[in-house]
Amino acid sequence: MSEHGSTDHAPAVPIAPAGYEGVWRFTAPAVDVSVPQARHAVRDLLNRQGVPARDELVQGLLLIVSELVTNAVRHAALLSPELAVEVAIGTDWIRVSVEDNHPYRPRALERDYAQTGGRGLLLVREITAEAGGVCDMEHTASGGKAIRVILPLAGSFTSPPQAPSAL
């Protein structure tokens, strides 16, 4: 997976790194294999940058990445054959966004334990809330959407980056 959507394993290129802080963005084809590749790319980025995050937070963030990329692959691939993952890291927060070019705005379903699927965004919301973070969705200039999750690195924000509305 690389910045240009190929399936090679080139690392994401930093846009503005300083210490462990910065913004990284990569694209991937909207196919099933991109889910674990995106999760591993984010994990490797956090390790490489030496982000001071608790293991519980990292595991939650990786699950969020998996769920958001899975949603893009399953529900947006027809109109969006490529997706983008962006990771931004500040001194006390981490933001991950997954963007596709499908205009449909997803909604988190209610808890229905008899249902075998369709609860990915509910899980994302619950993990985000438990970590003290925020989650939102915005339309992109291309007519698609970006779903964004911001989590505090130390349990709470000293100054959250933007105050998005709840998803």
Side-chain angles (χ1 to χ4, degrees), residues 99-144:
E99 181 179 328
D100 63 59
N101 288 320
H102 195 292
Y104 173 72
R105 181 180 175 137
R107 290 182 351 166
L109 300 177
E110 297 303 315
R111 288 187 178 125
D112 179 357
Y113 296 106
Q115 197 170 0
T116 59
R119 291 183 298 222
L121 284 179
L122 178 62
L123 184 60
V124 167
R125 278 193 341 200
E126 288 179 355
I127 293 169
T128 301
E130 186 175 304
V134 289
C135 180
D136 79 337
M137 192 279 310
E138 65 183 8
H139 290 284
T140 62
S142 66

Side-chain angles (χ1 to χ4, degrees), residues 76-101:
L78 185 62
L79 296 178
S80 183
E82 188 173 79
L83 59 93
V85 176
E86 183 174 283
V87 178
I89 306 167
T91 56
D92 64 348
W93 53 268
I94 184 165
R95 181 183 71 224
V96 65
S97 301
V98 175
E99 181 179 328
D100 63 59
N101 288 320

